Amino acid sequence: MKLTVLAFALATGLATTPAMARQQHDHGDQAAAQQQSHAGHMMQDSAAMTAHREKMAEMRALLQQAHAASDLAERQRLMAEHRAKMQEHMAGMMQGDNADMMAACHQHMMMMHDMMEQMAAHENMAQDD
């Protein structure tokens, strides 16, 4: 079942990408303007992505230190610091220009979750037969 779900998710992602590309291409001049704007955002996004990766590395390091800690108090302190950094980073991601992107990503994830539930229900019914 997991293999079926994974295959469906990959097929859905691969099938929607060309359709989305065709849709953008059909808009002519508007698409060219969007591409130029997107190229500008990619330049900005590289700095934002670098900062994101640095924050993620900090959080991973804290989590690894917490797993390695033998002292319970130290582990709890590290986990609290990790949680605070994670919440801070999430709050930053939800502000400004990122808020629209995060909302769209959330929407897409919810749609994918709904489809996965449907596939699981379908698979369960097929097994009951």
Side-chain angles (χ1 to χ4, degrees):
M1 181 177 106
K2 290 181 182 180
L3 185 58
T4 304
V5 172
L6 179 61
F8 177 76
L10 289 172
T12 302
L14 293 173
T16 57
T17 302
M20 290 171 60
R22 272 194 307 277
Q23 183 181 16
Q24 283 184 341
H25 179 45
D26 291 341
H27 291 294
D29 292 336
Q30 182 182 6
Q34 286 176 346
Q35 287 174 353
Q36 288 175 351
S37 174
H38 183 67
H41 286 298
M42 285 183 65
M43 292 292 214
Q44 293 172 358
D45 288 347
S46 66
M49 195 60 171
T50 299
H52 168 73
R53 285 188 181 120
E54 289 171 0
K55 289 177 184 177
M56 291 302 294
E58 288 176 26
M59 288 187 281
R60 274 190 210 98
L62 282 169
L63 204 52
Q64 287 174 347
Q65 289 173 6
H67 283 290
S70 57
D71 180 41
L72 180 62
E74 177 66 5
R75 180 179 297 144
Q76 289 175 339
R77 183 192 69 75
L78 289 165
M79 290 301 291
E81 187 178 345
H82 175 266
R83 185 174 33 261
K85 285 201 178 283
M86 199 168 49
Q87 289 172 344
E88 177 185 313
H89 188 51
M90 286 297 292
M93 289 171 61
M94 297 303 289
Q95 295 176 353
D97 292 338
N98 291 335
D100 292 338
M101 178 195 65
M102 291 299 288
C105 286
H106 177 73
Q107 219 172 16
H108 287 110
M109 291 300 291
M110 291 302 295
M111 291 178 353
M112 185 61 81
H113 182 266
D114 290 344
M115 290 299 296
M116 299 296 264
E117 283 181 341
Q118 290 293 314
M119 288 184 65
H122 180 83
E123 187 73 24
N124 288 338
M125 287 190 68
Q127 289 177 357
D128 289 342
D129 290 337

